[in-house]
Amino acid sequence: MTHAIRFHKTGGPEVLVWDEVKVGKPGSGEARIRHTAVGLNFLDIYQRSGLYPLQLPSGLGSEAAGVVEEVGPGVTDLKPGDRVAYGAAPIGAYSEERLIPAERLLKLPDGIDDKTAAAMMLKGLTAQYLIRQTYRVKAGDTILLHAAAGGVGLILSQWAKHLAATVIGTVGNDEKAALAKAHGCAHTIVYSREDFVKRVEEITQGKKVSVVYDSVGKDTFLKSLDCLAPLGVAALFGQSSGSVEPLNLGLLAQKGSLFVTRPTLNTYAAKRENLVAMAKELFEVVLSGAVKIGVRQTYPLQDAARAHADLAARKTTGSTVLLI
């Protein structure tokens, strides 16, 4: 028997419990892995609270790193002892061991340790599709990034700077502003005391930005549209402040023939070949040093409820990892 964090009803962090679970032998196309480190994401809060409904009781967690213990029939590219990680897989990462489809696993390069991998897979793959696929950031672009001191934000801003783009990042306080600037933001806006629409207008001298990456949602989305240049793209990839109200599409015409998308990693990484290509590009920018992955907080896996409470209260910055 092994253990996993599970929840039997939706609600606050207190619904998370440390359950004893049985993990069987891997079936066809599966691998059994022993986790060493698990990534924490706002997605986990959405699922735990019921905003993104799951069938209960349920496990939790979408990214982790660990070691292959056993492979099932038909698995030829993995073997026991391989170091692996994942960020686009069925939920259940908050566990000591689990079964997982082998085609969702990615072998880790020697230069990336397990804790770093657990902090970078879902967030790094998200950054990859946002700036290389949803809107392909290029040299000379100016972009607006909300929650720039968050896990995705710190990766995306470094990567965008590496691509010779100018990053304007919004943050909640001066400490987070300093962190965002140290990770690629050319300009930071403390939204708690500054009007980010007005500041974007000033910074860009009225030209506005090519793309807005918005994971905040309700509190920022309509104002995000006001920051876009004509034909600009608003990529809403999260909703930490709540769901966006229904949108009158006529506004997109009025504000400059804008584009709006609600992308997800699961869509972009659905095919194995796409997942592998995305991970290859992520590993390359991390190994080159262009993107540095900072694990800012760690908690024991058993303390997942405390980690959830701190994340929701905006007490964390960057990436948080649960250790086993």
Short mmCIF file of all heavy atoms in Angstrom, two decimals, residues 122-171:
data_model
loop_
_atom_site.label_atom_id
_atom_site.label_comp_id
_atom_site.label_asym_id
_atom_site.label_seq_id
_atom_site.Cartn_x
_atom_site.Cartn_y
_atom_site.Cartn_z
N LEU A 122 4.37 21.40 -16.32
CA LEU A 122 3.09 21.98 -16.72
C LEU A 122 3.26 23.47 -17.03
O LEU A 122 2.76 23.97 -18.05
CB LEU A 122 2.04 21.77 -15.63
CG LEU A 122 0.61 22.20 -15.96
CD1 LEU A 122 -0.40 21.30 -15.26
CD2 LEU A 122 0.34 23.65 -15.60
N LYS A 123 3.97 24.18 -16.17
CA LYS A 123 4.13 25.63 -16.36
C LYS A 123 5.01 25.93 -17.58
O LYS A 123 4.72 26.86 -18.34
CB LYS A 123 4.72 26.23 -15.09
CG LYS A 123 3.72 26.22 -13.91
CD LYS A 123 4.34 26.69 -12.61
CE LYS A 123 5.05 25.60 -11.85
NZ LYS A 123 4.14 24.64 -11.20
N GLY A 124 6.06 25.16 -17.76
CA GLY A 124 6.95 25.39 -18.90
C GLY A 124 6.30 25.02 -20.22
O GLY A 124 6.47 25.72 -21.22
N LEU A 125 5.57 23.90 -20.25
CA LEU A 125 4.86 23.51 -21.46
C LEU A 125 3.76 24.52 -21.78
O LEU A 125 3.48 24.81 -22.95
CB LEU A 125 4.27 22.11 -21.32
CG LEU A 125 5.29 20.97 -21.27
CD1 LEU A 125 4.60 19.65 -20.88
CD2 LEU A 125 6.01 20.81 -22.61
N THR A 126 3.14 25.07 -20.72
CA THR A 126 2.15 26.13 -20.93
C THR A 126 2.80 27.36 -21.55
O THR A 126 2.29 27.93 -22.53
CB THR A 126 1.48 26.50 -19.59
OG1 THR A 126 0.78 25.36 -19.09
CG2 THR A 126 0.51 27.66 -19.75
N ALA A 127 3.94 27.77 -21.01
CA ALA A 127 4.66 28.91 -21.58
C ALA A 127 5.03 28.63 -23.04
O ALA A 127 4.93 29.52 -23.90
CB ALA A 127 5.90 29.22 -20.76
N GLN A 128 5.44 27.39 -23.32
CA GLN A 128 5.83 27.05 -24.70
C GLN A 128 4.68 27.25 -25.67
O GLN A 128 4.84 27.92 -26.71
CB GLN A 128 6.33 25.60 -24.75
CG GLN A 128 7.05 25.22 -26.04
CD GLN A 128 6.15 24.96 -27.24
OE1 GLN A 128 4.97 24.65 -27.09
NE2 GLN A 128 6.70 25.07 -28.43
N TYR A 129 3.51 26.68 -25.36
CA TYR A 129 2.43 26.82 -26.34
C TYR A 129 1.96 28.27 -26.45
O TYR A 129 1.60 28.74 -27.53
CB TYR A 129 1.28 25.84 -26.07
CG TYR A 129 0.24 26.22 -25.04
CD1 TYR A 129 -0.67 27.25 -25.25
CD2 TYR A 129 0.12 25.50 -23.85
CE1 TYR A 129 -1.64 27.58 -24.32
CE2 TYR A 129 -0.85 25.83 -22.90
CZ TYR A 129 -1.73 26.87 -23.15
OH TYR A 129 -2.69 27.19 -22.22
N LEU A 130 2.00 29.02 -25.32
CA LEU A 130 1.53 30.40 -25.37
C LEU A 130 2.40 31.28 -26.26
O LEU A 130 1.87 32.06 -27.07
CB LEU A 130 1.48 30.98 -23.95
CG LEU A 130 0.35 30.48 -23.06
CD1 LEU A 130 0.56 30.95 -21.62
CD2 LEU A 130 -1.01 30.94 -23.56
N ILE A 131 3.72 31.19 -26.12
CA ILE A 131 4.58 32.13 -26.85
C ILE A 131 5.17 31.57 -28.14
O ILE A 131 5.72 32.32 -28.94
CB ILE A 131 5.71 32.69 -25.96
CG1 ILE A 131 6.72 31.63 -25.56
CG2 ILE A 131 5.14 33.37 -24.74
CD1 ILE A 131 7.94 32.22 -24.86
N ARG A 132 5.00 30.25 -28.36
CA ARG A 132 5.51 29.67 -29.61
C ARG A 132 4.39 29.21 -30.53
O ARG A 132 4.63 28.94 -31.71
CB ARG A 132 6.45 28.48 -29.31
CG ARG A 132 7.57 28.75 -28.32
CD ARG A 132 8.43 29.95 -28.70
NE ARG A 132 9.21 29.70 -29.90
CZ ARG A 132 9.51 30.64 -30.81
NH1 ARG A 132 9.05 31.87 -30.67
NH2 ARG A 132 10.26 30.34 -31.86
N GLN A 133 3.15 29.11 -30.00
CA GLN A 133 2.06 28.59 -30.82
C GLN A 133 0.81 29.48 -30.80
O GLN A 133 0.36 29.93 -31.85
CB GLN A 133 1.70 27.17 -30.37
CG GLN A 133 2.86 26.18 -30.51
CD GLN A 133 2.45 24.78 -30.13
OE1 GLN A 133 1.71 24.11 -30.84
NE2 GLN A 133 2.94 24.31 -28.98
N THR A 134 0.26 29.77 -29.61
CA THR A 134 -0.95 30.59 -29.55
C THR A 134 -0.70 31.95 -30.20
O THR A 134 -1.48 32.41 -31.03
CB THR A 134 -1.38 30.80 -28.09
OG1 THR A 134 -1.64 29.52 -27.50
CG2 THR A 134 -2.64 31.63 -28.01
N TYR A 135 0.37 32.60 -29.80
CA TYR A 135 0.88 33.79 -30.49
C TYR A 135 2.38 33.62 -30.53
O TYR A 135 3.02 33.52 -29.47
CB TYR A 135 0.51 35.09 -29.77
CG TYR A 135 1.13 36.31 -30.44
CD1 TYR A 135 0.46 36.98 -31.46
CD2 TYR A 135 2.41 36.75 -30.07
CE1 TYR A 135 1.05 38.07 -32.10
CE2 TYR A 135 3.00 37.83 -30.70
CZ TYR A 135 2.32 38.49 -31.71
OH TYR A 135 2.91 39.56 -32.35
N ARG A 136 2.95 33.56 -31.70
CA ARG A 136 4.38 33.27 -31.82
C ARG A 136 5.17 34.56 -31.60
O ARG A 136 5.28 35.41 -32.50
CB ARG A 136 4.69 32.65 -33.18
CG ARG A 136 6.09 32.04 -33.26
CD ARG A 136 6.27 31.21 -34.52
NE ARG A 136 7.62 30.67 -34.60
CZ ARG A 136 8.03 29.54 -34.04
NH1 ARG A 136 7.17 28.82 -33.32
NH2 ARG A 136 9.27 29.13 -34.18
N VAL A 137 5.66 34.72 -30.40
CA VAL A 137 6.39 35.93 -30.02
C VAL A 137 7.68 36.03 -30.84
O VAL A 137 8.41 35.06 -31.01
CB VAL A 137 6.70 35.93 -28.51
CG1 VAL A 137 7.63 37.08 -28.14
CG2 VAL A 137 5.40 36.02 -27.71
N LYS A 138 7.93 37.23 -31.32
CA LYS A 138 9.12 37.46 -32.14
C LYS A 138 9.88 38.69 -31.67
O LYS A 138 9.36 39.49 -30.88
CB LYS A 138 8.73 37.61 -33.62
CG LYS A 138 7.76 38.73 -33.89
CD LYS A 138 7.22 38.67 -35.31
CE LYS A 138 6.25 39.83 -35.59
NZ LYS A 138 5.09 39.81 -34.69
N ALA A 139 11.08 38.85 -32.15
CA ALA A 139 11.90 40.00 -31.79
C ALA A 139 11.16 41.29 -32.12
O ALA A 139 10.58 41.42 -33.20
CB ALA A 139 13.23 39.95 -32.53
N GLY A 140 11.19 42.22 -31.18
CA GLY A 140 10.54 43.51 -31.40
C GLY A 140 9.13 43.60 -30.87
O GLY A 140 8.58 44.70 -30.74
N ASP A 141 8.50 42.46 -30.54
CA ASP A 141 7.15 42.48 -29.96
C ASP A 141 7.19 43.07 -28.56
O ASP A 141 8.16 42.88 -27.81
CB ASP A 141 6.58 41.05 -29.86
CG ASP A 141 5.97 40.55 -31.15
OD1 ASP A 141 5.58 41.39 -31.99
OD2 ASP A 141 5.87 39.32 -31.32
N THR A 142 6.11 43.76 -28.20
CA THR A 142 5.88 44.14 -26.81
C THR A 142 4.66 43.37 -26.33
O THR A 142 3.61 43.38 -27.00
CB THR A 142 5.63 45.65 -26.67
OG1 THR A 142 6.79 46.35 -27.15
CG2 THR A 142 5.40 46.03 -25.21
N ILE A 143 4.80 42.67 -25.20
CA ILE A 143 3.73 41.82 -24.71
C ILE A 143 3.37 42.22 -23.28
O ILE A 143 4.19 42.77 -22.54
CB ILE A 143 4.11 40.33 -24.78
CG1 ILE A 143 5.15 39.96 -23.70
CG2 ILE A 143 4.66 39.96 -26.16
CD1 ILE A 143 5.46 38.48 -23.62
N LEU A 144 2.11 41.94 -22.91
CA LEU A 144 1.65 42.18 -21.54
C LEU A 144 1.39 40.84 -20.89
O LEU A 144 0.67 39.99 -21.44
CB LEU A 144 0.37 43.02 -21.55
CG LEU A 144 -0.29 43.28 -20.18
CD1 LEU A 144 0.65 44.04 -19.26
CD2 LEU A 144 -1.61 44.03 -20.35
N LEU A 145 1.95 40.66 -19.71
CA LEU A 145 1.84 39.40 -18.98
C LEU A 145 1.30 39.68 -17.58
O LEU A 145 1.95 40.36 -16.79
CB LEU A 145 3.22 38.73 -18.89
CG LEU A 145 3.37 37.53 -17.98
CD1 LEU A 145 2.51 36.36 -18.48
CD2 LEU A 145 4.84 37.11 -17.89
N HIS A 146 0.11 39.17 -17.30
CA HIS A 146 -0.43 39.29 -15.94
C HIS A 146 0.16 38.20 -15.04
O HIS A 146 0.57 37.15 -15.52
CB HIS A 146 -1.95 39.17 -15.97
CG HIS A 146 -2.64 40.35 -16.61
ND1 HIS A 146 -2.46 41.63 -16.16
CD2 HIS A 146 -3.49 40.43 -17.66
CE1 HIS A 146 -3.19 42.46 -16.90
NE2 HIS A 146 -3.81 41.75 -17.82
N ALA A 147 0.18 38.46 -13.74
CA ALA A 147 0.75 37.52 -12.76
C ALA A 147 2.17 37.15 -13.16
O ALA A 147 2.56 35.99 -13.20
CB ALA A 147 -0.13 36.28 -12.64
N ALA A 148 2.96 38.18 -13.44
CA ALA A 148 4.31 37.96 -13.96
C ALA A 148 5.24 37.30 -12.96
O ALA A 148 6.28 36.76 -13.34
CB ALA A 148 4.90 39.29 -14.43
N ALA A 149 4.90 37.34 -11.66
CA ALA A 149 5.75 36.71 -10.65
C ALA A 149 5.26 35.32 -10.29
O ALA A 149 5.77 34.69 -9.36
CB ALA A 149 5.82 37.58 -9.39
N GLY A 150 4.27 34.81 -11.02
CA GLY A 150 3.77 33.46 -10.79
C GLY A 150 4.62 32.41 -11.48
O GLY A 150 5.61 32.73 -12.16
N GLY A 151 4.22 31.16 -11.33
CA GLY A 151 5.01 30.06 -11.90
C GLY A 151 5.15 30.13 -13.41
O GLY A 151 6.26 30.05 -13.96
N VAL A 152 4.04 30.29 -14.12
CA VAL A 152 4.10 30.43 -15.58
C VAL A 152 4.77 31.76 -15.93
O VAL A 152 5.60 31.83 -16.85
CB VAL A 152 2.70 30.35 -16.21
CG1 VAL A 152 2.76 30.67 -17.71
CG2 VAL A 152 2.09 28.96 -16.01
N GLY A 153 4.44 32.81 -15.19
CA GLY A 153 4.95 34.14 -15.51
C GLY A 153 6.46 34.23 -15.51
O GLY A 153 7.05 34.81 -16.43
N LEU A 154 7.12 33.65 -14.52
CA LEU A 154 8.57 33.74 -14.44
C LEU A 154 9.25 32.99 -15.58
O LEU A 154 10.31 33.40 -16.06
CB LEU A 154 9.07 33.21 -13.09
CG LEU A 154 8.67 34.02 -11.86
CD1 LEU A 154 9.27 33.40 -10.61
CD2 LEU A 154 9.09 35.48 -11.99
N ILE A 155 8.64 31.90 -16.03
CA ILE A 155 9.20 31.15 -17.16
C ILE A 155 8.94 31.90 -18.46
O ILE A 155 9.83 32.10 -19.28
CB ILE A 155 8.60 29.73 -17.21
CG1 ILE A 155 9.02 28.93 -15.98
CG2 ILE A 155 9.04 29.02 -18.50
CD1 ILE A 155 8.34 27.56 -15.86
N LEU A 156 7.69 32.34 -18.65
CA LEU A 156 7.30 32.98 -19.91
C LEU A 156 8.07 34.28 -20.11
O LEU A 156 8.53 34.57 -21.24
CB LEU A 156 5.79 33.24 -19.91
CG LEU A 156 5.15 33.63 -21.24
CD1 LEU A 156 3.67 33.21 -21.28
CD2 LEU A 156 5.25 35.11 -21.53
N SER A 157 8.26 35.07 -19.06
CA SER A 157 8.95 36.35 -19.23
C SER A 157 10.41 36.16 -19.61
O SER A 157 10.95 36.88 -20.47
CB SER A 157 8.82 37.21 -17.98
OG SER A 157 9.25 36.53 -16.83
N GLN A 158 11.07 35.18 -19.01
CA GLN A 158 12.46 34.90 -19.38
C GLN A 158 12.56 34.44 -20.83
O GLN A 158 13.44 34.86 -21.59
CB GLN A 158 13.04 33.80 -18.48
CG GLN A 158 13.27 34.19 -17.05
CD GLN A 158 13.81 33.01 -16.25
OE1 GLN A 158 15.02 32.76 -16.25
NE2 GLN A 158 12.93 32.28 -15.58
N TRP A 159 11.65 33.57 -21.21
CA TRP A 159 11.67 33.01 -22.57
C TRP A 159 11.39 34.11 -23.59
O TRP A 159 12.06 34.20 -24.63
CB TRP A 159 10.62 31.90 -22.67
CG TRP A 159 10.84 30.90 -23.75
CD1 TRP A 159 11.51 31.08 -24.93
CD2 TRP A 159 10.39 29.54 -23.77
NE1 TRP A 159 11.50 29.93 -25.69
CE2 TRP A 159 10.82 28.98 -25.00
CE3 TRP A 159 9.65 28.76 -22.89
CZ2 TRP A 159 10.51 27.65 -25.35
CZ3 TRP A 159 9.36 27.45 -23.25
CH2 TRP A 159 9.79 26.90 -24.45
N ALA A 160 10.42 34.97 -23.30
CA ALA A 160 10.09 36.07 -24.21
C ALA A 160 11.27 37.04 -24.35
O ALA A 160 11.57 37.52 -25.45
CB ALA A 160 8.85 36.80 -23.73
N LYS A 161 11.94 37.32 -23.23
CA LYS A 161 13.13 38.18 -23.31
C LYS A 161 14.20 37.53 -24.17
O LYS A 161 14.87 38.20 -24.98
CB LYS A 161 13.67 38.47 -21.90
CG LYS A 161 14.89 39.39 -21.91
CD LYS A 161 15.43 39.63 -20.52
CE LYS A 161 16.65 40.55 -20.58
NZ LYS A 161 17.23 40.79 -19.23
N HIS A 162 14.37 36.23 -24.02
CA HIS A 162 15.33 35.47 -24.83
C HIS A 162 15.01 35.60 -26.32
O HIS A 162 15.91 35.60 -27.17
CB HIS A 162 15.31 34.01 -24.40
CG HIS A 162 16.15 33.08 -25.22
ND1 HIS A 162 17.51 33.20 -25.32
CD2 HIS A 162 15.80 32.01 -25.99
CE1 HIS A 162 17.98 32.24 -26.11
NE2 HIS A 162 16.97 31.52 -26.54
N LEU A 163 13.73 35.75 -26.64
CA LEU A 163 13.28 35.92 -28.02
C LEU A 163 13.36 37.37 -28.48
O LEU A 163 12.91 37.71 -29.57
CB LEU A 163 11.85 35.40 -28.17
CG LEU A 163 11.64 33.90 -27.94
CD1 LEU A 163 10.15 33.56 -27.88
CD2 LEU A 163 12.33 33.08 -29.02
N ALA A 164 13.91 38.24 -27.63
CA ALA A 164 14.11 39.67 -27.92
C ALA A 164 12.80 40.44 -27.96
O ALA A 164 12.65 41.42 -28.70
CB ALA A 164 14.89 39.86 -29.22
N ALA A 165 11.83 40.01 -27.16
CA ALA A 165 10.59 40.76 -26.97
C ALA A 165 10.70 41.61 -25.71
O ALA A 165 11.51 41.34 -24.83
CB ALA A 165 9.41 39.81 -26.86
N THR A 166 9.87 42.65 -25.64
CA THR A 166 9.79 43.50 -24.45
C THR A 166 8.60 43.06 -23.63
O THR A 166 7.47 43.02 -24.14
CB THR A 166 9.63 44.98 -24.85
OG1 THR A 166 10.78 45.39 -25.59
CG2 THR A 166 9.49 45.86 -23.61
N VAL A 167 8.83 42.71 -22.37
CA VAL A 167 7.77 42.18 -21.51
C VAL A 167 7.35 43.23 -20.50
O VAL A 167 8.17 43.76 -19.75
CB VAL A 167 8.23 40.91 -20.77
CG1 VAL A 167 7.07 40.33 -19.95
CG2 VAL A 167 8.78 39.87 -21.74
N ILE A 168 6.04 43.53 -20.47
CA ILE A 168 5.43 44.34 -19.43
C ILE A 168 4.68 43.39 -18.53
O ILE A 168 3.80 42.66 -18.98
CB ILE A 168 4.45 45.38 -20.02
CG1 ILE A 168 5.14 46.27 -21.05
CG2 ILE A 168 3.84 46.22 -18.89
CD1 ILE A 168 4.19 47.18 -21.82
N GLY A 169 5.01 43.37 -17.25
CA GLY A 169 4.40 42.41 -16.33
C GLY A 169 3.61 43.10 -15.23
O GLY A 169 4.08 44.09 -14.66
N THR A 170 2.41 42.60 -14.94
CA THR A 170 1.66 43.10 -13.80
C THR A 170 1.89 42.17 -12.60
O THR A 170 1.99 40.96 -12.75
CB THR A 170 0.15 43.22 -14.07
OG1 THR A 170 -0.43 41.91 -14.16
CG2 THR A 170 -0.12 44.00 -15.34
N VAL A 171 1.96 42.80 -11.42
CA VAL A 171 2.22 42.06 -10.18
C VAL A 171 1.44 42.70 -9.04
O VAL A 171 0.89 43.80 -9.19
CB VAL A 171 3.73 42.07 -9.83
CG1 VAL A 171 4.54 41.30 -10.86
CG2 VAL A 171 4.25 43.51 -9.72
#
